Amino acid sequence: MAELPNCVACKSAYTYEDRDMYVCPECGHEWSQNDEAASENAQDSIRDANGNELKDGDTITVIKDLKVKGSSSVVKVGTKIKNIRLVEGDHDIDCKIDGIGGMKLKSEFVKKV
């Protein structure tokens, strides 16, 4: 049995085929099997909350208050972060925030400036 691609929208592994479409039961996203090559390229790139592609050195803004683990500090909405670095893993942005220090963030909580 051929291995099905992960969902392009939420990266879920529980996709299934429906005629000539792939369907994700978790988020409801559907995409054509003909777009599989395009979706593989989209999976490789890291995107912000608005769907903009992020690259090393970009400037981003936080869109949600984020609690800092092990501290009473909070990264407030609107905090601007310069010169990000993209990394593999659950938290895909490595950065330095003024007043807090080095942090790893998830791309779903930021937007590109």
Side-chain angles (χ1 to χ4, degrees):
M1 183 173 170
E3 189 171 318
L4 297 175
N6 290 348
C7 176
V8 180
C10 72
K11 297 185 174 52
S12 170
Y14 301 110
T15 57
Y16 62 90
E17 291 180 271
D18 186 19
R19 296 183 187 160
D20 63 340
M21 302 287 284
Y22 290 123
V23 181
C24 176
E26 290 187 11
C27 70
H29 182 71
E30 297 180 3
W31 69 102
S32 172
Q33 291 180 4
N34 298 334
D35 295 339
E36 184 175 349
S39 67
E40 287 177 6
N41 291 339
Q43 286 178 341
D44 293 341
S45 63
I46 297 174
R47 301 192 175 273
D48 69 358
N50 296 331
N52 299 320
E53 186 174 352
L54 295 173
K55 296 180 182 161
D56 286 340
D58 279 346
T59 300
I60 57 174
T61 303
V62 177
I63 62 168
K64 176 183 178 185
D65 283 346
L66 302 173
K67 294 180 183 177
V68 179
K69 253 187 189 176
S71 169
S72 62
S73 302
V74 175
V75 179
K76 295 285 188 180
V77 172
T79 302
K80 191 178 273 189
I81 303 166
K82 298 178 183 177
N83 199 19
I84 64 169
R85 196 167 18 133
L86 301 178
V87 294
E88 295 293 321
D90 186 32
H91 292 74
D92 33 31
I93 298 173
D94 198 12
C95 61
K96 186 180 270 188
I97 300 175
D98 294 337
I100 295 177
M103 284 196 68
K104 293 190 176 209
L105 300 172
K106 291 185 177 184
S107 59
E108 62 197 57
F109 299 120
V110 300
K111 69 177 181 178
K112 189 173 181 179
V113 176

